[in-house]
Amino acid sequence: MSLWVDKYRPTSLAKLDYHKEQANQLRNLVQCGDFPHLLVYGPSGAGKKTRIMCLLRELYGAGVEKLRIEHQSIVAPSKKKIEINTIASNYHLEVNPSDAGNSDRVVIQELIKTVAQSQQIQSSTQREFKVVLLTEVDRLTKDAQHALRRTMEKYMATCRLILCCNSTSKVISPIRSRCLAVRVPLPSTEEVCSVLMGVCKKEGLLLPAELARQIAEKSGRNLRKALLMCEACRVQQYPFSADQNIPETDWEVYLRETANAIINQQSPQRLLEVRARLYELLTHCIPAEIIMKGLVTELLSNCDGHLKPDVAQMAAYYEHRLQLGSKAIYHLEAFVAKFMAIYKKFMEDGLDNFMF
Amino acid sequence: MSKLSLGGKTSSGKLSSWVQPSFGDFFGGSGSNSLPSTKGLSGESKSKTQSSNAGVGGKKLRKRKGEPQTSKLEPGVFSSRRGSQENQDESWVDVHAPQTQAELAVHKKKVEDVESWLRVHLDLKSANKGGAVLLLTGPSGCGKTATVHVLAKDARCHIQEWTNPTTAEYRKDDAFMDSFDPASRFNSFHSSSQTAAFQEFLLRANKYNRLQMSGEDGAQERKIILVEEFPNQFYRQPGCLHDILRRYVRTGRCPMVFIVSDSLSGDTSSRLLFPKDIQEELSIHNISFNPIAPTSMMKVLSRIATVEASKSARISLPDKPALEQLCSGSSGDIRSAINSLQFSSFTDFSLEKSLWASKKGKSSKSAAKSTSRSKGKGRSAKSTDGLEESPAIGGKDASLFLFRALGKILYCKRESYEAGDVPKLPAHLSEHQRDKLLVDPELVIERSHMSGELFNLYLHQNYMDFFSDVEDVARASEYLSDSDFLTAEWTSRSTMLEYGSSVATRGLIHSNSARAQADQPSSVGFKPLHKPHWLHINKTYRENYLTAQSLFISFCLTPVSLVTELVPYLAMLSNPMRNQAQITFIQDVGHLSLRRFPGRLKLEALGDKDPGLLDLDSDTDEAGTQSTEPGAQTTVPADTTAVPTLPNSQEPGGDLPASQPQPTTAEALLDEKDLLIEEYDSD
């Protein structure tokens, strides 16, 4: 038994539940036999990967679904050995080059070279190119992106690249201009609802429309998250009730409690506790950027309108620091301390005004 | 050192100590330790000089002090010097080696500790079978060996000391010796390794008593085994030593004393040779010595100076400021202090004179300085003085243990300005008015022998306890953030590291407005210091991140969505299609205990002698507490009623090393200045 997310993932362009017009366009693109490099972007949980896999199936047939996980080791020119996991079928290769950290340039060059240099054997029955799917392209170093640009031109004859990322802002413009950009927006709340209803129907469950709506809203229209939530609801309680408590992930609850702790008291002791909580979140693999984002969202919803611009500005400042610096805790803590200081000042001022 | 002193006692005339060559030319006395083969020659010269009392011969004459007729012949100039002759050649460290407990400069409590241990374990009738092991640690020159020697003398027992065999001993394959020397049966042992030799030594020292010599009383049969140097192999494989020790503890009969000097580099330290678990396993008693306190060192130095001055007119008694300078310059190393005292007391040494003069100028300056600033400061001012300037003679490269270095930054002592020279800040900046700082942060970092980055981590872990105002904390944390930002670019990191740590330390010091004025009472009192969590956290984070990716690769997700979406929800689902590793991981990472105060973080207290090294690998098995004296670790520190309302996650707990002063309420009330001094010279 696999997760609903995987079980009911559409496998062909025709079966996609939303953005059908885009699906048609993609099908047209493939039907003429060839297509340019693609840059698929959009927020997390919008269905980029699903769409790409559908596209590949349209292109090569069911063969792309036979996936195998390969563990490759690449020797860099500096004799450094780089280990990386790839997912491949006979027709395509999926790799997340940012796994290799600073050596991502080598991964891109070497992997694509090996794929591109091997010609397809029966080119009469198959396409004459392979597809390399690169995920998280926005996390590549600038170095690697420039290397990618060269590689794209060089091996155009034998391979096509599909790049997948959340935002194009971190992709250098030469790459953007070499690709056909495809944006996959988030599904609307209604679309999420209908997908949820459809899945539940296939599972033989009855999902109240009200609950589906709540899940869709709570998930932030992230379809993957919505489906996981729905499945968690099912585990928690069945038959569903409309006012059911929708389970959230532990770390989100924890983060909200942390934000509340910051709001409730502003003192060095409290900051010390908050630090311990931040450490706890980090050990549970929650990336520092996400902690920062979550904290800001929670804090902003809790503080006065006068403070909001300041808080947002501070958050932006320390988020930037977070990206540049090496030790996240300094910057997270500085943000919390700063917030505590201005919040405390604001509250005290407010109290004074109230008194006089 | 013990070997030196032995030589000094047996043959004061025939001395070859290290001081001698430097004085040899001048005194002309170096001939006195001439080889036996030159005896005839010297006899010749004697007869010669007797006949002709030329000025040249006068020099040679002086070495035969036992002969009355030569003394008659000596010119009057020399006669006054003769009394001090033998002592000048000998190192004062040996001449004035302490003979009684009263003479020891070591703190009384430490001496008592060692004495009581020896008393218990020397008593052969006592029930405990097996060898007892004592470990003495402390910086060099703090009187560890002297204490053992004095106490052994008092207890009338004999010290058997291990010395690493030198290569010369390996070549004892003289055929003649072989046939007669009974020890030749063990000759195979010379060619064996030092480790084997050490084992052999222990075995024999343990088994056989010393031969009873006529004239010795029988009470001397008790003995102590003293080990000050270790075969090199033990540094590479401490396990060897532990095996030998385990055997010894089972079978040994006499107490064994190990003396290990603390070193900042940490590679040859007692930590490596005697890790905590071994200390506990073998019930090794550890007594850690502190540097000699300035007061007792002053006592010893002035005593020696008086004695020597009375012996000889050539010795000029250094004045008090000069002695104080020597004291502070030696940073608690009494041996180097006495050596530099000896060196600086020979007034008629031309080269030395200039040194002395320059030093005098300096010391008088510093004396003036210290009197000017010691308004109600007393000793603390002086100790910081010593850090700032090194004397011309005998200046020891003062280094700080991490514990003290952190304390210097976090407690940030200040002194008030003179009435005249207070820098005026404009009104809108008046909140930034601070008194003069007594510590030099860059110097502290340099002396702590750590990279600035790591030092910052330690500061970051500990600074919060020393702040009382949120705004101060906000400012301080901003500086820490700045300093991390400065070192972000790896191409310029090596250059920027120093700036980064400077920004962090100075920022922390400045932003602590509770410590802005010198006369502000310190509100913090003693706080235990802890090791930074960040390295451990960061490591776990990266490991978990990679594990997540490799375990759940089949889900084809980006790592971020994997750990923030999939794993937490998988933790809620009862999905059977998972393997054991995945289930464990989900349990570990997907679930977050929603208790308010996470218990996962273990606070690891920082001992005052901890080298502060980065051992990332040992981070995981950090369960061992850091207590340096397991025996003394019975009292759980009284709860500091600082934050009674909150179940503070940073509670000191039981892992506070005994070497740190325990935070009792009484101590919390103490002035912070007194407290630091107490830490320096009490236990």
Side-chain angles (χ1 to χ4, degrees):
Chain A
M1 182 183 117
S2 59
L3 294 172
W4 292 359
V5 183
D6 297 323
K7 206 169 166 185
Y8 301 109
R9 190 185 295 276
T11 50
S12 74
L13 286 172
K15 284 186 198 158
L16 285 173
D17 293 293
Y18 51 89
H19 306 329
K20 290 192 193 264
E21 196 179 331
Q22 189 187 52
N24 278 330
Q25 283 171 351
L26 287 175
R27 192 158 47 195
N28 292 338
L29 187 74
V30 177
Q31 265 166 1
C32 41
D34 198 359
F35 69 94
H37 298 308
L38 291 184
L39 173 62
V40 181
Y41 65 102
S44 172
K48 300 182 290 294
K49 203 68 167 298
T50 310
R51 219 152 275 253
I52 292 168
M53 290 315 287
C54 292
L55 184 82
L56 289 177
R57 193 187 145 98
E58 193 79 28
L59 203 58
Y60 295 110
V64 281
E65 280 162 11
K66 277 188 197 145
L67 295 175
R68 55 181 188 272
I69 295 164
E70 284 170 355
H71 193 74
Q72 301 211 7
S73 67
I74 300 160
V75 180
S78 60
K79 296 280 181 289
K80 195 185 163 199
K81 222 174 163 188
I82 303 155
E83 308 269 313
I84 198 157
N85 289 316
T86 60
I87 300 164
S89 73
N90 287 334
Y91 308 100
H92 86 291
L93 175 84
E94 182 188 334
V95 66
N96 184 353
S98 56
D99 286 353
N102 281 329
S103 325
D104 49 2
R105 184 177 61 88
V106 184
V107 172
I108 286 196
Q109 285 178 327
E110 294 298 315
L111 269 185
I112 296 180
K113 201 157 71 181
T114 46
V115 171
Q117 280 174 350
S118 57
Q119 299 276 342
Q120 293 281 30
I121 307 166
Q122 293 171 300
S123 55
S124 56
T125 55
Q126 286 158 348
R127 312 278 170 183
E128 58 226 16
F129 52 83
K130 272 189 164 188
V131 171
V132 176
L133 170 56
L134 299 177
T135 54
E136 288 198 296
V137 180
D138 44 358
R139 288 184 58 208
L140 286 180
T141 58
K142 288 278 172 297
D143 214 17
Q145 294 197 22
H146 284 290
L148 186 60
R149 180 180 84 173
R150 274 295 292 134
T151 320
M152 283 168 111
E153 288 171 351
K154 210 170 162 187
Y155 300 112
M156 187 68 193
T158 51
C159 94
R160 298 286 178 276
L161 291 179
I162 300 181
L163 312 180
C164 183
C165 63
N166 284 341
S167 152
T168 53
S169 63
K170 281 185 181 172
V171 180
I172 58 171
S173 54
I175 290 185
R176 270 186 275 170
S177 84
R178 278 169 176 76
C179 299
L180 175 67
V182 179
R183 176 172 145 80
V184 184
L186 281 176
S188 67
T189 313
E190 287 72 32
E191 282 161 346
V192 176
C193 285
S194 71
V195 171
L196 288 177
M197 303 291 259
V199 167
C200 283
K201 205 170 162 190
K202 283 178 203 160
E203 276 287 310
L205 305 170
L206 195 67
L207 181 69
E210 183 54 30
L211 183 64
R213 185 166 194 84
Q214 274 181 16
I215 291 176
E217 274 164 7
K218 200 144 193 176
S219 65
R221 285 151 66 204
N222 179 338
L223 190 60
R224 173 174 47 235
K225 205 170 168 185
L227 278 169
L228 283 167
M229 273 181 172
C230 188
E231 199 173 348
C233 280
R234 158 80 179 81
V235 171
Q236 193 186 46
Q237 182 187 341
Y238 189 78
F240 293 121
S241 65
D243 51 350
Q244 192 176 350
N245 185 23
I246 299 163
E248 281 179 280
T249 54
D250 279 354
W251 67 267
E252 284 169 316
V253 180
Y254 197 79
L255 195 60
R256 188 173 319 122
E257 281 178 9
T258 311
N260 288 339
I262 296 171
I263 294 282
N264 286 342
Q265 190 192 333
Q266 294 86 33
S267 70
Q269 282 77 33
R270 179 52 61 94
L271 185 55
L272 216 51
E273 289 161 28
V274 170
R275 184 203 285 177
R277 295 180 73 98
L278 292 178
Y279 275 150
E280 188 76 352
L281 282 169
L282 283 172
T283 48
H284 284 85
C285 255
I286 311 300
E289 301 86 30
I290 293 193
I291 297 179
M292 182 71 116
K293 196 175 154 197
L295 267 185
V296 175
T297 324
E298 291 295 334
L299 290 177
L300 278 180
S301 67
N302 269 316
C303 70
D304 191 272
H306 290 291
L307 283 179
K308 280 180 182 171
D310 288 345
V311 175
Q313 195 249 342
M314 267 162 35
Y317 180 79
Y318 285 107
E319 159 85 34
H320 184 225
R321 282 282 172 91
L322 207 60
Q323 301 295 333
L324 294 173
S326 54
K327 299 188 181 61
I329 189 66
Y330 285 145
H331 311 296
L332 286 175
E333 191 173 292
F335 170 69
V336 174
K338 262 270 156 74
F339 178 83
M340 278 186 171
I342 66 165
Y343 189 78
K344 193 179 179 195
K345 192 154 184 300
F346 178 79
M347 294 308 274
E348 278 167 0
D349 288 353
L351 216 60
D352 286 349
N353 292 338
F354 187 70
M355 301 268 268
F356 296 115
Chain B
M1 179 195 145
S2 71
K3 270 179 289 164
L4 253 182
S5 73
L6 212 121
K9 270 167 225 154
T10 49
S11 56
S12 60
K14 183 174 94 72
L15 222 214
S16 55
S17 71
W18 58 272
V19 221
Q20 203 178 11
S22 56
F23 298 102
D25 277 349
F26 185 77
F27 302 128
S30 60
S32 61
N33 61 353
S34 54
L35 297 165
S37 61
T38 60
K39 257 177 194 163
L41 200 126
S42 67
E44 236 175 52
S45 75
K46 181 171 76 180
S47 63
K48 221 198 254 170
T49 47
Q50 268 172 343
S51 60
S52 66
N53 56 351
V56 216
K59 269 189 183 174
K60 285 181 183 170
L61 281 175
R62 284 184 295 110
K63 68 193 167 205
R64 292 178 298 276
K65 29 208 176 275
E67 297 171 42
Q69 73 269 39
T70 50
S71 75
K72 265 179 232 153
L73 290 170
E74 274 206 332
V77 203
F78 290 112
S79 61
S80 64
R81 289 183 178 183
R82 261 197 46 218
S84 62
Q85 179 74 32
E86 50 195 305
N87 286 335
Q88 273 160 13
D89 294 353
E90 198 172 339
S91 157
W92 287 2
V93 176
D94 299 333
V95 177
H96 297 279
Q99 303 299 322
T100 60
Q101 280 193 42
E103 278 178 49
L104 275 176
V106 183
H107 195 268
K108 289 231 164 38
K109 202 174 143 278
K110 291 283 167 192
V111 180
E112 276 167 22
D113 281 354
V114 180
E115 191 183 14
S116 60
W117 186 89
L118 280 180
R119 205 184 304 125
V120 169
H121 294 281
L122 271 176
D123 200 358
L124 288 177
K125 274 151 269 168
S126 67
N128 65 336
K129 285 284 162 212
V133 182
L134 175 69
L135 173 65
L136 296 183
T137 54
S140 55
C142 69
K144 301 180 292 288
T145 316
T147 309
V148 173
H149 278 279
V150 166
L151 289 177
K153 210 176 124 203
D154 283 0
R156 301 168 68 77
C157 63
H158 162 68
I159 290 181
Q160 193 153 4
E161 191 182 346
W162 160 258
T163 49
N164 280 346
T166 55
T167 40
E169 275 180 70
Y170 288 84
R171 305 224 174 95
K172 265 196 196 164
D173 47 359
D174 197 332
F176 180 74
M177 288 290 280
D178 265 351
S179 52
F180 288 98
D181 190 3
S184 62
R185 279 186 294 142
F186 299 102
N187 253 5
S188 57
F189 130 80
H190 283 307
S191 59
S192 64
S193 67
Q194 284 190 354
T195 316
F198 183 73
Q199 235 171 318
E200 186 84 17
F201 163 80
L202 279 191
L203 178 76
R204 287 206 260 164
N206 194 29
K207 245 183 193 165
Y208 308 117
N209 277 330
R210 194 160 64 142
L211 281 182
Q212 205 73 26
M213 292 299 185
S214 56
E216 281 182 37
D217 46 350
Q220 283 271 355
E221 70 193 12
R222 297 189 298 178
K223 72 178 165 193
I224 304 171
I225 301 178
L226 179 66
V227 181
E228 268 193 274
E229 39 185 341
F230 297 88
N232 280 330
Q233 179 67 10
F234 291 163
Y235 292 115
R236 270 174 247 135
Q237 296 177 346
C240 288
L241 175 66
H242 303 156
D243 289 343
I244 292 175
L245 277 183
R246 274 188 204 107
R247 218 168 308 144
Y248 183 80
V249 165
R250 273 203 311 276
T251 60
R253 284 190 302 178
C254 42
M256 174 147 61
V257 179
F258 286 98
I259 296 184
V260 183
S261 290
D262 290 337
S263 65
L264 279 161
S265 54
D267 49 347
T268 61
S269 69
S270 55
R271 260 151 236 291
L272 180 74
L273 288 171
F274 299 95
K276 298 284 173 238
D277 49 331
I278 290 293
Q279 285 194 23
E280 270 163 35
E281 182 192 332
L282 303 175
S283 62
I284 296 176
H285 191 57
N286 183 1
I287 298 178
S288 129
F289 279 53
N290 284 3
I292 304 285
T295 42
S296 42
M297 177 153 357
M298 266 305 280
K299 236 179 272 170
V300 172
L301 287 189
S302 46
R303 176 168 57 83
I304 292 177
T306 334
V307 171
E308 290 293 336
S310 68
K311 267 191 207 163
S312 153
R314 280 183 66 245
I315 311 271
S316 80
L317 192 64
D319 50 345
K320 201 163 183 296
L323 279 183
E324 269 168 10
Q325 171 113 25
L326 280 178
C327 258
S328 56
S330 64
S331 59
D333 183 344
I334 198 162
R335 187 186 305 140
S336 93
I338 296 177
N339 279 338
S340 28
L341 175 69
Q342 180 177 20
F343 184 49
S344 56
S345 328
F346 293 118
T347 47
D348 53 357
F349 199 42
S350 57
L351 163 73
E352 202 273 323
K353 232 171 200 163
S354 61
L355 268 178
W356 185 239
S358 77
K359 193 167 93 80
K360 256 194 175 155
K362 220 174 173 186
S363 70
S364 63
K365 196 176 70 196
S366 87
K369 218 163 146 194
S370 72
T371 45
S372 71
R373 55 163 73 160
S374 64
K375 275 182 222 146
K377 285 247 154 249
R379 290 182 289 175
S380 65
K382 251 176 274 161
S383 68
T384 45
D385 255 2
L387 263 181
E388 279 154 23
E389 50 195 72
S390 58
I393 297 174
K396 202 184 168 193
D397 183 19
S399 49
L400 287 170
F401 277 103
L402 178 60
F403 183 77
R404 303 232 316 130
L406 287 176
K408 276 194 185 298
I409 300 295
L410 293 172
Y411 284 104
C412 58
K413 286 192 225 161
R414 296 176 184 278
E415 62 167 2
S416 42
Y417 282 104
E418 311 290 304
D421 52 61
V422 184
K424 276 271 168 270
L425 284 181
H428 68 284
L429 290 176
S430 59
E431 59 162 338
H432 294 296
Q433 178 80 48
R434 299 283 188 273
D435 270 347
K436 201 155 64 182
L437 203 58
L438 272 180
V439 289
D440 180 357
E442 287 78 24
L443 204 64
V444 170
I445 297 167
E446 190 190 320
R447 297 233 158 107
S448 71
H449 297 261
M450 291 175 86
S451 77
E453 244 174 335
L454 189 55
F455 193 77
N456 285 355
L457 275 180
Y458 272 95
L459 283 178
H460 172 255
Q461 179 68 39
N462 293 301
Y463 78 100
M464 209 86 83
D465 281 332
F466 294 82
F467 285 73
S468 49
D469 188 24
V470 180
E471 272 181 52
D472 289 349
V473 175
R475 204 175 291 146
S477 63
E478 196 180 343
Y479 281 118
L480 282 173
S481 163
D482 285 344
S483 92
D484 183 48
F485 173 65
L486 282 178
T487 55
E489 195 66 43
W490 66 269
T491 46
S492 56
R493 184 168 293 159
S494 54
T495 329
M496 296 307 284
L497 259 181
E498 285 178 40
Y499 294 100
S501 57
S502 196
V503 164
T505 46
R506 288 190 180 271
L508 276 191
I509 289 172
H510 182 81
S511 46
N512 196 350
S513 63
R515 302 277 314 139
Q517 262 73 46
D519 47 358
Q520 267 172 343
S522 119
S523 54
V524 282
F526 174 78
K527 299 275 185 191
L529 301 180
H530 300 283
K531 293 184 177 171
H533 283 141
W534 169 252
L535 297 168
H536 177 63
I537 300 285
N538 198 28
K539 193 174 144 229
T540 335
Y541 173 70
R542 272 182 289 123
E543 276 174 4
N544 283 346
Y545 209 76
L546 291 176
T547 327
Q549 270 173 276
S550 62
L551 281 178
F552 300 99
I553 189 168
S554 55
F555 286 93
C556 301
L557 286 175
T558 58
V560 174
S561 54
L562 191 65
V563 292
T564 55
E565 289 165 17
L566 185 72
V567 174
Y569 277 112
L570 277 182
M572 292 182 195
L573 302 176
S574 51
N575 194 326
M577 209 190 67
R578 278 176 249 148
N579 60 32
Q580 190 56 43
Q582 286 176 334
I583 291 171
T584 331
F585 183 79
I586 288 169
Q587 289 300 327
D588 189 36
V589 174
H591 276 301
L592 249 165
S593 65
L594 294 181
R595 279 181 302 140
R596 271 193 74 185
F597 303 104
R600 182 186 273 237
L601 288 181
K602 230 173 290 158
L603 275 177
E604 206 179 345
L606 175 73
D608 52 358
K609 295 287 162 58
D610 280 350
L613 282 185
L614 263 179
D615 40 1
L616 271 175
D617 298 331
S618 71
D619 265 354
T620 43
D621 49 16
E622 60 185 5
T625 57
Q626 285 291 313
S627 69
T628 39
E629 289 169 66
Q633 187 66 41
T634 48
T635 52
V636 176
D639 196 355
T640 50
T641 51
V643 269
T645 46
L646 291 166
N648 194 351
S649 64
Q650 301 272 13
E651 201 72 318
D655 61 345
L656 197 62
S659 56
Q660 275 189 40
Q662 304 288 327
T664 58
T665 35
E667 256 178 340
L669 293 175
L670 271 180
D671 190 358
E672 161 259 310
K673 265 179 290 179
D674 296 339
L675 216 136
L676 271 194
I677 293 164
E678 202 203 46
E679 183 214 317
Y680 190 71
D681 61 10
S682 75
D683 48 4

